[in-house]
Amino acid sequence: MATCSTCGAEILSSAKFCAQCGSSLGSRLCTNGHVMEPDWDTCRYCPPANVGATRVIKPTRVVSPLRVAGIDPAGVKKKPMGTTQLYSESKKESSAELLGWLVVTQGKEQWRDYRITGGHFVLGRDKDCDIVIDDGHVSSRHASLRFREGKMVLTDLDSSNGTFVNGDQISRVDLEDNAEIKIGDTVLKFRKF
């Protein structure tokens, strides 16, 4: 066991992020914010830098609380890849306590993370989904995540390749802490707070 230098919480020594406050735990980050393994000299997620050219940062879609509520805000700003995005259904809930965290542990967007504060979110490949997963084996609207009656509920939305939690195919399940969610070739770890 180790101790988080930010909040003092006890954490596993193999953890890359603090489960209590979300701080990076001694991980090296590249200039674009990607977590780098100790044996890497350069970031494997960033495109190679061309001589005399500027480095290109792939932007990601930021979902505002207004979009989740069905309102399309004009001029939504984009954040660079590798940043944590906070999702909530309304402004009232945006100040709510953190309920969970999804971290991509396998797939194209490995180590990308999403903080969940409540509401209802659709995971899928379609650009209109609340959490967009860049994976050709993920359905356009693959699964939904909803906080209901004190539990985080994951529901498969009749996806082509199914939704799996801890190796079992599910249609609907209450997520437990450290549940491993597999959709397509992407694996996400759910952390309950």
Side-chain angles (χ1 to χ4, degrees):
M1 293 297 272
T3 304
C4 175
S5 60
T6 304
C7 70
E10 285 192 21
I11 48 166
L12 294 174
S13 55
S14 62
K16 295 188 186 239
F17 298 95
C18 175
Q20 187 70 28
C21 68
S23 296
S24 176
L25 302 175
S27 299
R28 280 189 317 139
L29 301 177
C30 75
T31 57
N32 293 325
H34 300 121
V35 176
M36 293 178 53
E37 296 297 326
D39 59 335
W40 293 2
D41 293 328
T42 59
C43 179
R44 296 183 183 173
Y45 304 114
C46 293
N50 295 330
V51 177
T54 3
R55 185 172 215 150
V56 177
I57 300 172
K58 180 182 174 187
T60 60
R61 183 172 154 272
V62 174
V63 179
S64 75
L66 295 174
R67 179 175 289 283
V68 174
I71 302 168
D72 188 13
V76 174
K77 295 182 181 178
K78 297 187 177 201
K79 292 183 180 179
M81 184 80 152
T83 58
T84 300
Q85 299 176 23
L86 186 63
Y87 293 92
S88 68
E89 192 165 353
S90 69
K91 288 188 178 186
K92 180 180 176 184
E93 290 185 49
S94 66
S95 62
E97 184 177 335
L98 184 65
L99 300 173
W101 194 340
L102 287 175
V103 178
V104 179
T105 58
Q106 290 178 19
K108 288 182 181 179
E109 298 178 314
Q110 189 174 21
W111 307 123
R112 177 133 184 223
D113 53 282
Y114 305 91
R115 289 184 179 196
I116 308 296
T117 59
H120 177 239
F121 310 102
V122 176
L123 291 82
R125 195 178 67 239
D126 190 63
K127 292 179 182 177
D128 290 332
C129 289
D130 303 306
I131 298 176
V132 179
I133 307 293
D134 182 17
D135 182 337
H137 294 103
V138 172
S139 296
S140 57
R141 295 177 55 84
H142 198 99
S144 72
L145 188 62
R146 181 185 302 262
F147 185 71
R148 181 179 281 165
E149 298 173 6
K151 297 180 181 178
M152 198 62 72
V153 180
L154 179 69
T155 306
D156 182 73
L157 299 176
D158 296 324
S159 61
S160 302
N161 295 323
T163 301
F164 298 82
V165 173
N166 298 328
D168 298 325
Q169 188 167 5
I170 59 101
S171 58
R172 175 183 237 159
V173 69
D174 293 344
L175 289 177
E176 297 294 328
D177 189 32
N178 284 322
E180 191 173 81
I181 303 164
K182 184 172 191 290
I183 58 175
D185 291 333
T186 302
V187 177
L188 302 110
K189 179 79 95 172
F190 173 72
R191 289 304 312 253
K192 183 178 180 182
F193 294 113

